[in-house]
Structures are given as structure tokens and as C-alpha cells.
Amino acid sequence: MTDTHAQKKARIKAARDRMMAEKTAEKGLVIVHTGTGKGKSSAAFGMILRCIAHGMPCAVVQFIKGAWDTGERRLLTGQFGDLCQFHAMGEGFTWETQDRDRDIAAARAGWEKAKTLIADPQIRMVLLDEVNIALRYDYLDLAEVLEVLAAKPPMTHVVLTGRNAKPELIEAADLVTEMTMIRHPFRAGIKGQAGVEF
């Protein structure tokens, strides 16, 4: 039994080694985290921390929820400000501001900052947190966003998070992950908590 298992795993390893040997290209990726489940921004911030651990300059532009005092913002600005720029540009969820013109102005200011960061080849990853929400409500021009992503420096990664990613953005992306909600404590009357939600 053990010999059969070892032989099977040896065949799998040889196949994996061949497959990995063929993968030699590198490029900056367009990455989309979307879906109704929790974890889109959390996963993206995990990537930002990986960049920091590798000494790679990176940047965050927060759309929509930029007014929040979040743990990731505290950590990145307090401990890693030399490697990670952090720009909280939103004013809160749309039901909080209740002012479409103000929401559009905040999203556009965030997008102007994002364009500058994306164009800088020294910055290896730019996280556009909750930008999909700004695109969903037409606060930003999707065609312009796609144009900027297509023209980004070749080794720059751009991560776009938020529910309801536009189909055109999904089509243009190199990596797309959809978070699916199965259960969420909010539905059981439990509020968002530090360390889990923010």
C-alpha cells in the first residue's frame, strides 16, 4: 500500500514539475476580487503585506469606505509607510452620505490618485479597494478604467475589489476570484467587529 502511494505521488510530482518548468513568463497582473462573500479586501490586503515583505513598493486607494478607521490602515501607515502609500479617498457607503454628487467627486478624486500610482513603474502593486462599487454606480467611467489598466507598466499588479464587478472588467482581468457568501454573522444580528470586519 505504501509503495503504491509513493509511486502515485512520484508520478504526480513529475507531472507537476514538467508543468511548472513550462511556466516561465512574468507580468503585472490585473486581479479582481468580487462576489457577495466576505474577504475581498482582506485577501487584497494580504497581497499588499506580501509585497511589503518582499520590499516591493505598493499603494492603496480606498474608495467608498475610506472614512473608516481600519486596522489595515493603522498597520500600513504606522509601520510600513515607507513601502506602502495609503490614500483613503471615500466618505462612507452611499446610504451614509446620501449625496450622489459628493460620492462622484470623492470617487473621481480617488481615481485621479490611482491613475498616478498605477503609472509609476516603481510601485509594484496598487490596490483599488471597493472600486467595483464606484464602477457599479457609474461614479467612474469604466472605459477609462480599462484603458488605464491596459496601459499600466508591464510589471505592475493592480487589484480591484468590491461586489458586482463589471463583466468587461472581469474579461480584462488576468485573475478573478468570486467570494461566495454561505453564512454571515450580520444576518444573525452580530455587528461588524474589529479584527474581522475592519
Side-chain angles (χ1 to χ4, degrees), residues 83-121:
L83 277 174
C84 184
Q85 297 181 46
F86 201 108
H87 304 278
M89 307 297 288
E91 295 190 34
F93 289 107
T94 55
W95 60 83
E96 292 171 349
T97 62
Q98 300 178 19
D99 185 335
R100 181 173 171 78
D101 290 338
R102 204 167 101 196
D103 292 338
I104 290 170
R108 290 192 177 153
W111 176 240
E112 290 304 313
K113 176 54 74 176
K115 288 192 301 186
T116 301
L117 296 166
I118 292 168
D120 183 347

Side-chain angles (χ1 to χ4, degrees), residues 167-189:
E168 299 90 342
L169 180 60
I170 290 172
E171 182 63 30
D174 299 292
L175 172 61
V176 180
T177 300
E178 182 174 6
M179 311 298 189
T180 303
M181 187 186 65
I182 296 172
R183 182 178 299 121
H184 197 292
F186 188 77
R187 291 188 172 179

Side-chain angles (χ1 to χ4, degrees), residues 11 27 30 39 42 45 50 64 67 90 100 111 120 128-129 131 133 135 138 149 178 184 192 198:
R11 285 193 304 275
K27 69 173 259 187
V30 173
S42 300
F45 279 109
R50 283 183 181 149
I64 313 300
R100 181 173 171 78
W111 176 240
D120 183 347
L128 306 180
D129 190 35
V131 73
I133 304 300
L135 289 167
D138 298 319
L149 293 175
E178 182 174 6
H184 197 292
F198 55 90

Side-chain angles (χ1 to χ4, degrees), residues 127-145:
L127 166 55
L128 306 180
D129 190 35
E130 301 291 356
V131 73
N132 291 337
I133 304 300
L135 289 167
R136 176 185 181 194
Y137 291 121
D138 298 319
Y139 296 168
L140 300 175
D141 179 48
L142 177 61
E144 182 185 356
V145 171

